[in-house]
Amino acid sequence: MSTIPMPAPDDRSRRLLLVVDAPSLLHRSHHAKAHTGITDRAGRPTWALHGMLGQILEVIDGFAPDAVIFGLDDRRASVRADFYPAYKAGRAEKDASLVEQLDRAGAMLDALGLATLTPPGLEADDVSATGARWAGDHGWDCVIVTSDRDAFAHISDHTRVLRLINGGVSASPLLTPSRLVAMYGVAADRYLEFAALRGDASDNLPGVTGIGEKTAATLLTQVGPMATVWADVDQNEGRVVSATLDSWAAETGARRLGATVVRRLTAEGARERFDFNVRIMSGRDDLDLGLTPDVSGTPGLLPLDAERINRVVGFLGVEATTSLAIRVLSTDPASAAARLDG
């Protein structure tokens, strides 16, 4: 049985949207499951697809969402790469079997009746950002399922992030605003600025020189948002920033770092680097998800048709997964029962 922390029972009168970062799960499953050599009935590799599906079934079994949407990357065009040609440069070339499964993922999920979105020139991260905003605007809760940290910027009172890491779904942290603060020392509404200061090596985005995770978190927590920081740097030579950080150091016994931080923030190119990272890292949150929650049977809404599940998942050739998919995907979501009970 799943050990995913469940929402409190009195919260399930609110409907739940599950947003899945499909490429991140497929990548992890490819590397974790390639040794199995699983193929479908046509002899094509399916270990990444099967691994992703297995993880999502476990998540759906634990959370019982009302709707599920999968974000996919546009693998033929990239707005971010057009703006910054070195975006994600240095990543290893994808294995051909992974590429094939990435290309087939959308068709498999669509065939099941689950909603997918491949935004032109954009990425699954943008679908996650939009899903979080959509849930807030419509009075739903949201859980983003991903292995990446980018989604942490969308954590709020109504949005959590299930970050899949080593150990599988049951061992993965479910990040809430308070848990994010405990892990990184920064509030969710300042995570984007935190990431922009720190940088992201996986996307080939250097941070502000000399500002690491700990310093970035301390700066944002003690001084405030970067608009406040930059205003003090511009208008007051950073005196308030320096004094605030040094006062914090005196109270906590930490090393004084006020003057050092101001010097690094005023170094040539520092602000340009921060602004550039914010622009690249910011997720689009205004996409059309195509969700119509009040129209029964539209893509993404649960439950799904059992015969359809049997036909699509059965083609993967793993009987146990097919049986699990039928049980999980053809069952009413928890909020439906809560509304009936109410």
Side-chain angles (χ1 to χ4, degrees), residues 294-335:
D294 296 323
V295 180
S296 178
T298 56
L301 298 185
L302 297 179
L304 303 180
D305 178 70
E307 290 186 10
R308 192 172 184 176
I309 298 167
N310 182 61
R311 182 175 66 254
V312 175
V313 181
F315 195 77
L316 296 179
V318 182
E319 186 175 342
T321 302
T322 303
S323 298
L324 177 63
I326 292 172
R327 179 179 67 79
V328 171
L329 297 178
S330 63
T331 302
D332 283 336
S335 67

Coordinates of all heavy atoms in Angstrom, one line a residue, residues 294-335:
D294 N -16.5 20.3 -15.4 CA -17.9 20.1 -15.2 C -18.6 19.4 -16.4 O -19.8 19.2 -16.5 CB -18.7 21.5 -15.1 CG -18.2 22.2 -13.8 OD1 -18.0 21.5 -12.8 OD2 -18.1 23.4 -13.8
V295 N -17.7 18.9 -17.3 CA -18.2 18.1 -18.5 C -17.7 16.7 -18.3 O -16.5 16.4 -18.5 CB -17.7 18.8 -19.8 CG1 -18.2 17.9 -21.0 CG2 -18.1 20.2 -19.9
S296 N -18.5 15.8 -17.9 CA -18.1 14.4 -17.7 C -17.5 13.8 -18.9 O -18.0 14.0 -20.1 CB -19.4 13.6 -17.2 OG -19.0 12.3 -17.0
G297 N -16.5 13.0 -18.7 CA -15.9 12.3 -19.8 C -14.8 13.0 -20.6 O -14.2 12.4 -21.5
T298 N -14.5 14.3 -20.3 CA -13.5 15.0 -21.0 C -12.1 14.5 -20.5 O -12.0 14.1 -19.4 CB -13.7 16.5 -20.8 OG1 -13.6 16.8 -19.4 CG2 -14.9 17.0 -21.4
P299 N -11.1 14.6 -21.4 CA -9.8 14.1 -21.1 C -9.2 14.7 -19.8 O -9.4 15.9 -19.5 CB -8.9 14.6 -22.2 CG -9.9 14.7 -23.4 CD -11.2 15.2 -22.8
G300 N -8.6 13.8 -19.0 CA -8.0 14.2 -17.7 C -8.9 14.0 -16.5 O -8.4 13.9 -15.4
L301 N -10.2 13.9 -16.7 CA -11.1 13.7 -15.5 C -11.1 12.2 -15.2 O -11.2 11.3 -16.0 CB -12.5 14.2 -15.8 CG -12.6 15.7 -16.1 CD1 -14.1 16.0 -16.3 CD2 -12.0 16.5 -15.0
L302 N -11.1 11.9 -13.9 CA -11.2 10.5 -13.4 C -12.7 10.3 -12.8 O -13.3 11.3 -12.4 CB -10.2 10.3 -12.3 CG -8.7 10.4 -12.7 CD1 -7.8 10.1 -11.5 CD2 -8.4 9.4 -13.8
P303 N -13.2 9.1 -12.9 CA -12.5 7.9 -13.4 C -12.5 7.7 -14.9 O -13.3 8.4 -15.6 CB -13.4 6.8 -12.7 CG -14.8 7.4 -12.7 CD -14.5 8.9 -12.4
L304 N -11.7 6.8 -15.4 CA -11.6 6.4 -16.8 C -12.4 5.1 -17.1 O -12.7 4.4 -16.2 CB -10.1 6.3 -17.2 CG -9.2 7.5 -16.9 CD1 -7.8 7.1 -17.4 CD2 -9.7 8.8 -17.6
D305 N -12.6 4.9 -18.4 CA -13.3 3.7 -18.8 C -12.4 2.5 -18.7 O -11.3 2.5 -19.1 CB -13.7 3.9 -20.3 CG -14.4 2.7 -20.8 OD1 -15.5 2.4 -20.4 OD2 -13.8 2.0 -21.6
A306 N -12.9 1.5 -18.0 CA -12.1 0.3 -17.7 C -11.7 -0.5 -19.0 O -10.5 -1.0 -19.0 CB -12.9 -0.7 -16.8
E307 N -12.6 -0.6 -19.9 CA -12.2 -1.3 -21.2 C -11.1 -0.5 -21.9 O -10.2 -1.1 -22.5 CB -13.4 -1.4 -22.1 CG -14.5 -2.4 -21.6 CD -15.6 -2.6 -22.6 OE1 -15.4 -2.1 -23.7 OE2 -16.6 -3.2 -22.2
R308 N -11.1 0.8 -21.9 CA -10.1 1.6 -22.5 C -8.7 1.4 -21.8 O -7.7 1.2 -22.4 CB -10.5 3.1 -22.4 CG -9.7 4.0 -23.3 CD -10.3 5.4 -23.3 NE -9.7 6.3 -24.1 CZ -10.1 7.6 -24.4 NH1 -11.2 8.0 -23.8 NH2 -9.4 8.4 -25.2
I309 N -8.8 1.4 -20.5 CA -7.6 1.1 -19.7 C -7.0 -0.2 -20.0 O -5.8 -0.4 -20.3 CB -7.9 1.2 -18.2 CG1 -8.4 2.6 -17.8 CG2 -6.6 0.9 -17.4 CD1 -9.0 2.7 -16.4
N310 N -7.8 -1.2 -20.1 CA -7.4 -2.6 -20.4 C -6.7 -2.7 -21.7 O -5.6 -3.3 -21.9 CB -8.5 -3.6 -20.3 CG -8.1 -5.0 -20.5 OD1 -7.3 -5.6 -19.8 ND2 -8.7 -5.6 -21.6
R311 N -7.3 -2.0 -22.7 CA -6.7 -2.1 -24.1 C -5.4 -1.4 -24.2 O -4.4 -1.9 -24.7 CB -7.7 -1.4 -25.0 CG -7.3 -1.5 -26.5 CD -8.3 -0.9 -27.4 NE -8.6 0.5 -27.2 CZ -9.6 1.0 -26.6 NH1 -10.6 0.2 -26.1 NH2 -9.8 2.3 -26.5
V312 N -5.3 -0.2 -23.6 CA -4.0 0.6 -23.7 C -2.9 0.1 -22.8 O -1.8 -0.1 -23.3 CB -4.3 2.1 -23.4 CG1 -3.0 2.9 -23.4 CG2 -5.4 2.7 -24.4
V313 N -3.2 -0.1 -21.6 CA -2.1 -0.5 -20.7 C -1.8 -2.0 -21.0 O -0.6 -2.4 -20.9 CB -2.6 -0.4 -19.2 CG1 -1.5 -0.9 -18.2 CG2 -2.9 1.1 -18.9
G314 N -2.8 -2.8 -21.4 CA -2.5 -4.2 -21.7 C -1.5 -4.3 -22.8 O -0.8 -5.3 -22.9
F315 N -1.4 -3.3 -23.7 CA -0.5 -3.4 -24.8 C 1.0 -3.3 -24.3 O 1.9 -3.8 -25.0 CB -0.7 -2.3 -25.8 CG -0.1 -2.5 -27.1 CD1 -0.6 -3.3 -28.1 CD2 1.1 -1.8 -27.4 CE1 0.1 -3.5 -29.3 CE2 1.8 -2.0 -28.7 CZ 1.2 -2.9 -29.6
L316 N 1.2 -2.8 -23.1 CA 2.5 -2.8 -22.6 C 3.0 -4.2 -22.2 O 4.2 -4.4 -22.0 CB 2.6 -1.8 -21.3 CG 2.3 -0.4 -21.6 CD1 2.4 0.4 -20.3 CD2 3.3 0.2 -22.6
G317 N 2.1 -5.1 -22.0 CA 2.4 -6.5 -21.8 C 2.8 -6.9 -20.4 O 3.4 -7.9 -20.2
V318 N 2.4 -6.1 -19.4 CA 2.6 -6.5 -18.0 C 1.3 -6.6 -17.3 O 0.6 -5.6 -17.0 CB 3.5 -5.4 -17.3 CG1 3.8 -5.9 -15.8 CG2 4.8 -5.2 -18.0
E319 N 0.8 -7.8 -17.1 CA -0.5 -8.1 -16.6 C -0.8 -7.4 -15.2 O -1.9 -6.9 -15.0 CB -0.8 -9.6 -16.5 CG -2.2 -10.0 -16.1 CD -2.4 -11.5 -16.1 OE1 -1.6 -12.2 -16.7 OE2 -3.4 -11.9 -15.5
A320 N 0.2 -7.4 -14.3 CA 0.0 -6.9 -13.0 C -0.3 -5.4 -13.1 O -1.1 -4.8 -12.4 CB 1.2 -7.1 -12.1
T321 N 0.4 -4.7 -14.0 CA 0.2 -3.2 -14.2 C -1.1 -3.0 -14.8 O -1.8 -2.0 -14.4 CB 1.3 -2.7 -15.1 OG1 2.6 -2.9 -14.5 CG2 1.2 -1.2 -15.3
T322 N -1.6 -3.8 -15.7 CA -2.9 -3.6 -16.3 C -4.0 -3.7 -15.2 O -4.9 -2.9 -15.1 CB -3.2 -4.6 -17.4 OG1 -2.1 -4.5 -18.4 CG2 -4.5 -4.4 -18.0
S323 N -3.9 -4.7 -14.3 CA -4.9 -4.9 -13.3 C -4.9 -3.7 -12.3 O -5.9 -3.3 -11.9 CB -4.6 -6.2 -12.5 OG -4.7 -7.3 -13.4
L324 N -3.7 -3.3 -12.0 CA -3.6 -2.1 -11.1 C -4.2 -0.9 -11.7 O -4.9 -0.1 -11.0 CB -2.1 -1.9 -10.7 CG -1.8 -0.6 -9.8 CD1 -2.5 -0.8 -8.5 CD2 -0.3 -0.4 -9.7
A325 N -3.9 -0.7 -13.0 CA -4.4 0.5 -13.7 C -5.9 0.5 -13.7 O -6.5 1.6 -13.5 CB -3.8 0.6 -15.1
I326 N -6.5 -0.6 -14.0 CA -8.0 -0.7 -14.0 C -8.5 -0.4 -12.6 O -9.5 0.4 -12.5 CB -8.4 -2.1 -14.5 CG1 -8.0 -2.3 -15.9 CG2 -9.9 -2.3 -14.2 CD1 -8.3 -3.8 -16.4
R327 N -8.0 -0.9 -11.6 CA -8.5 -0.6 -10.2 C -8.3 0.8 -9.9 O -9.3 1.4 -9.4 CB -7.7 -1.5 -9.2 CG -8.2 -1.2 -7.8 CD -7.5 -2.1 -6.7 NE -6.1 -1.7 -6.6 CZ -5.6 -0.7 -5.9 NH1 -6.5 0.1 -5.3 NH2 -4.3 -0.5 -5.8
V328 N -7.2 1.4 -10.2 CA -6.9 2.8 -9.7 C -7.6 3.8 -10.6 O -8.2 4.8 -10.1 CB -5.4 3.0 -9.7 CG1 -5.1 4.5 -9.5 CG2 -4.7 2.2 -8.7
L329 N -7.6 3.6 -11.9 CA -8.0 4.7 -12.8 C -9.5 4.7 -13.0 O -10.1 5.6 -13.5 CB -7.3 4.6 -14.1 CG -5.8 4.8 -14.1 CD1 -5.2 4.6 -15.5 CD2 -5.4 6.2 -13.5
S330 N -10.2 3.6 -12.7 CA -11.6 3.5 -12.9 C -12.4 3.7 -11.6 O -13.6 3.4 -11.6 CB -12.0 2.2 -13.6 OG -11.7 1.1 -12.7
T331 N -11.7 4.2 -10.6 CA -12.4 4.4 -9.3 C -12.7 5.9 -9.1 O -11.9 6.7 -9.5 CB -11.5 3.9 -8.2 OG1 -11.2 2.5 -8.4 CG2 -12.1 4.1 -6.8
D332 N -13.8 6.2 -8.5 CA -14.2 7.6 -8.2 C -13.1 8.2 -7.3 O -12.6 7.6 -6.4 CB -15.5 7.7 -7.6 CG -16.7 7.5 -8.5 OD1 -16.5 7.7 -9.7 OD2 -17.8 7.1 -8.1
P333 N -12.8 9.5 -7.6 CA -11.9 10.3 -6.7 C -12.4 10.5 -5.3 O -13.7 10.4 -5.1 CB -11.6 11.6 -7.4 CG -12.9 11.7 -8.3 CD -13.3 10.4 -8.7
A334 N -11.5 10.7 -4.3 CA -12.0 10.8 -2.9 C -12.9 12.0 -2.7 O -13.8 12.0 -1.9 CB -10.7 11.0 -2.0
S335 N -12.7 13.1 -3.5 CA -13.6 14.3 -3.3 C -15.0 14.0 -3.7 O -15.9 14.6 -3.1 CB -13.0 15.5 -4.1 OG -13.2 15.2 -5.4

